[in-house]
Amino acid sequence: MEGDTRGPDIKKLNALVERLVGDVGAAVSGALVVLGDDLGLFKALADGEPRDVARLAKETGLKERYLREWLSAMAAADYITYDEGTDRFHLTPEQAMVFAQEDSPAFFAGAFQVTQSMWMDEPKIAEAFRNGQGVGWHEHSACLFRGTERFFRPGYNTHLISSWIPALDGVEAKLIAGAKVADVGCGHGASTILMAQAYPASRFFGFDYHAPSIERARATAEEAGVADRVTFQQGTAAEFAPQGYDMVAMFDCLHDMGDPVGAGRHVKETLAPGGTWLIVEPFAHDNLKDNLNPIGRVYYGASTMICTPASLSQEVGLGLGAQAGEIRLRKVALDAGFSHFRRATETPFNMVFEARA
């Protein structure tokens, strides 16, 4: 401000600059992770066997000079391990789980694809800041759609069948016996297909307004061998076909909706008597100060660049954001006409709620 005579605390300034060097390094490394993922380099190193640059070039068909620089950058980030004595590079088991093994609970390459979309779409978000309009999910770069599937799928693989569904009152028994389930905002269908594989007696219906995602989900269901009990259809949360569902699930998408209360009312209309609305949302405390941590940093960033603009692009435009917290989510459910709402379980990254009429 004008006339401000405050001087910087040099120790604090140096500490901030040191952190920023790390942050810039992380941002640069993120681009290189996406590059290595696209080129199949992490998977080429997944067996853990040390390789020199010449061997990796021969195995991948890529050029040595580029590989040398990429490997050096990844070693500097501690994403790949370098052995000075042999001048070779390899992945430790932990590094392989994070960068090379798609089904690992720690797989992280998808998160970097989501981050890539934020950089690519920044001009659209900047304009939205100026005009107050939203940016629809479909308006983002295609890497967001694939990255979102790959980012969330490891968590679903780890928790959905083993802990989230068992935490719901009476739902698992219905699914085992044969139930009807809607997965709303299903994207590429990772959660839908996982449930279909786990509960073969049940029928699953995946809905998403994004047509390319529905096409991808249908193809994936065929590949997984569950197309006989999974149906994917294009449709919004306010319009998906009513079927008398025993469960309607929304995984990490309620906060993206312009009218989550209206979506909840439609869920209530489509449920069979005694049916359950399963809501999985990013983990968040109710007060901002309690979310000022590394997880909150990621989720608030994604909410700024993706989730809030998506909500504001739709009718009502409530703009819950990815860090809505339990109090606001409870209000959505109650306003939608549900009398029962409880947190069933949680992980460091997700909160799992069930709502019933």
Side-chain angles (χ1 to χ4, degrees), residues 300-344:
Y300 277 123
S303 188
T304 302
M305 300 298 289
I306 301 168
C307 310
T308 301
S311 177
L312 296 181
S313 73
Q314 304 166 53
E315 292 184 5
V316 179
L318 186 61
L320 275 178
Q323 293 287 269
E326 182 171 350
I327 291 175
R328 295 182 71 195
L329 294 170
R330 180 184 299 275
K331 186 176 188 306
V332 166
L334 296 179
D335 288 350
F338 288 85
S339 59
H340 172 85
F341 180 89
R342 75 175 182 97
R343 186 187 300 208

Side-chain angles (χ1 to χ4, degrees), residues 47-303:
D47 61 7
E49 186 175 343
R51 289 166 169 82
D52 59 23
V53 178
R55 177 180 169 184
L56 186 61
K58 183 177 180 181
E59 291 176 348
T60 61
L62 302 173
K63 303 304 179 184
E64 285 190 35
R65 186 64 191 89
Y66 282 103
L67 286 175
R68 165 66 69 176
E69 218 66 10
W70 181 84
L71 288 164
S72 299
M74 292 291 90
D78 199 27
Y79 292 172
I80 285 177
T81 300
Y82 173 65
D83 180 65
E84 181 182 7
T86 62
D87 194 31
R88 292 178 179 178
F89 301 84
H90 71 278
L91 292 179
T92 65
E94 297 78 19
Q95 291 166 339
M97 286 185 69
V98 169
F99 294 116
Q101 297 171 10
E102 296 267 350
D103 293 330
S104 158
F107 183 69
F108 236 78
F112 288 101
Q113 285 181 298
V114 173
T115 305
Q116 178 188 24
S117 77
M118 298 185 201
W119 284 101
M120 294 175 70
D121 297 330
E122 181 273 334
K124 298 177 184 178
I125 305 303
E127 184 59 26
F129 267 66
R130 297 184 183 99
N131 61 33
Q133 298 177 3
V135 177
W137 177 265
H138 62 282
E139 297 180 83
H140 284 276
S141 300
C143 55
L144 174 62
F145 315 135
R146 179 65 172 140
T148 297
E149 177 200 358
R150 299 174 83 206
F151 174 65
F152 284 114
R153 180 161 31 88
Y156 300 157
N157 287 345
T158 303
H159 301 292
L160 177 53
I161 307 303
S162 65
S163 61
W164 292 352
I165 288 177
L168 307 176
D169 289 338
V171 171
E172 186 175 41
K174 292 181 181 180
L175 292 172
I176 292 171
K180 192 177 291 184
V181 176
D183 188 355
V184 179
C186 65
H188 289 187
S191 51
T192 327
I193 292 168
L194 185 62
M195 289 188 290
Q197 290 172 326
Y199 306 107
S202 292
R203 289 278 305 177
F204 297 88
F205 300 83
F207 299 96
D208 201 288
Y209 91 96
H210 187 237
S213 290
I214 289 296
E215 290 302 315
R216 166 76 178 178
R218 287 171 177 162
T220 305
E222 288 283 354
E223 295 169 5
V226 296
D228 61 324
R229 53 187 181 273
V230 177
T231 301
F232 288 106
Q233 297 177 0
Q234 188 176 2
T236 69
E239 299 172 343
F240 68 92
Q243 297 264 3
Y245 303 107
D246 297 289
M247 182 176 76
V248 173
M250 292 184 180
F251 296 99
D252 295 290
C253 66
L254 182 65
H255 65 272
D256 295 308
M257 297 176 187
D259 184 11
V261 175
R265 291 195 186 105
H266 186 62
V267 169
K268 185 171 179 286
E269 294 169 355
T270 66
L271 282 171
T276 298
W277 183 17
L278 167 62
I279 304 167
V280 178
E281 281 287 292
F283 186 93
H285 299 284
D286 292 310
N287 297 313
L288 171 61
K289 66 179 180 62
D290 297 320
N291 294 324
L292 302 182
N293 52 56
I295 293 175
R297 182 187 188 186
V298 171
Y299 281 147
Y300 277 123
S303 188

